[in-house]
Amino acid sequence: MNDPSGAGGSAALPDTPLARDFPHIAALPRPTLESLAANADPQYYSALIHTEPQIAALLQQRSELLQRVRQLARRNEDELRPPLEQVRQETQRYFVQAREAEDVQWKEEERRLLEAHRRFAPPALLAQLQQSTARIYEQSEDLANALVEGRPLPPHLLGAARELLAQQQHPGSSLAAGGGAGIEDTPSADPVPTFTKAFLALRTAYHRRAMIEERWRRDMIRID
């Protein structure tokens, strides 16, 4: 007997969201659908889901996109690795150069600090004071010998006396370089007044330094 409705051998699917979106799944028997809903067989569930055309298309797109990303990653690695490696090598070279320069500069600074400490340490300052005192004393003696022997007063001794006199008149002032008036070394100058002022300037400086040296030796002056 023919079907009075004129339909084929399979019944039409009901109009449901599942039938509209996943018709080949909606056509499965009810027990199979219930088993899928309960995820009783995960392998069967996964196999069935992957046969769904929409899901298969999405998986294919995902696979193609992943492949594209891998290709881009390999290309970027091949293209960027040489310049990045060059940058790394240059950075390492500059770092080594900076460390070497720092070591050299620090050694130079350390040498300067040691030299400054050696020059300005109390024993070094005392030695400089002793040398200065002895030098001024010898200059005054040489100046006196020149006058007694009737020789011209040495210009370098008169210059030293002028400098000391200027320092006494203007201590710590820029006028010291042009001070020392009255100590002339011209041929027409009277040697006796010139000698007197120069000898007085030398001896005054000598005695001042000698007094400081003596007080220093007695620990009356301390430099920490």
Side-chain angles (χ1 to χ4, degrees):
M1 180 181 295
N2 295 331
D3 188 354
S5 63
S10 60
L13 296 175
D15 187 12
T16 62
L18 179 63
R20 290 193 300 269
D21 297 337
F22 305 100
H24 78 290
I25 295 179
L28 295 175
R30 183 178 182 84
T32 303
L33 293 176
E34 293 177 352
S35 177
L36 289 175
N39 197 18
D41 189 349
Q43 294 182 353
Y44 178 72
Y45 178 83
S46 177
L48 182 63
I49 290 299
H50 283 73
T51 59
E52 167 60 32
Q54 296 180 359
I55 296 178
L58 292 175
L59 292 176
Q60 181 64 26
Q61 293 178 5
R62 175 182 176 276
S63 177
E64 293 176 355
L65 181 60
L66 182 60
Q67 183 67 19
R68 177 61 176 168
V69 169
R70 290 174 178 173
Q71 292 176 355
L72 291 175
R74 286 194 297 268
R75 189 188 70 180
N76 290 338
E77 182 179 3
D78 295 339
E79 293 179 355
L80 297 179
R81 175 176 292 181
L84 289 177
E85 182 65 21
Q86 182 179 0
V87 171
R88 188 192 69 81
Q89 294 177 358
E90 291 179 354
T91 303
Q92 179 67 20
R93 184 172 67 254
Y94 292 147
F95 175 76
V96 173
Q97 292 177 356
R99 288 296 301 271
E100 293 176 352
E102 180 182 4
D103 293 340
V104 173
Q105 184 176 2
W106 170 247
K107 290 180 180 179
E108 179 64 20
E109 291 297 329
E110 188 176 27
R111 185 192 65 79
R112 292 179 180 178
L113 289 174
L114 292 176
E115 178 65 19
H117 182 269
R118 185 187 65 81
R119 291 178 55 192
F120 297 105
L125 294 176
L126 178 58
Q128 295 176 21
L129 177 61
Q130 292 172 342
Q131 294 175 2
S132 174
T133 304
R135 183 178 66 254
I136 294 175
Y137 177 80
E138 293 175 357
Q139 289 174 343
S140 66
E141 289 296 309
D142 292 342
L143 186 65
N145 291 334
L147 181 67
V148 171
E149 296 172 0
R151 294 183 287 108
L153 300 179
H156 71 281
L157 296 179
L158 297 178
R162 278 196 300 270
E163 182 178 353
L164 292 172
L165 181 59
Q167 293 176 1
Q168 296 168 14
Q169 294 174 346
H170 308 283
S173 173
S174 59
L175 297 176
I183 302 178
E184 302 179 2
D185 57 357
T186 59
S188 60
D190 188 349
V192 176
T194 300
F195 165 79
T196 302
K197 293 181 180 180
F199 187 80
L200 180 61
L202 291 170
R203 283 293 182 166
T204 300
Y206 162 73
H207 285 296
R208 286 181 177 178
R209 283 166 172 75
M211 291 173 60
I212 295 175
E213 180 182 342
E214 182 65 22
R215 293 180 61 188
W216 198 331
R217 289 181 178 277
R218 294 180 180 180
D219 290 335
M220 298 178 65
I221 298 178
R222 292 184 178 273
I223 299 179
D224 298 327

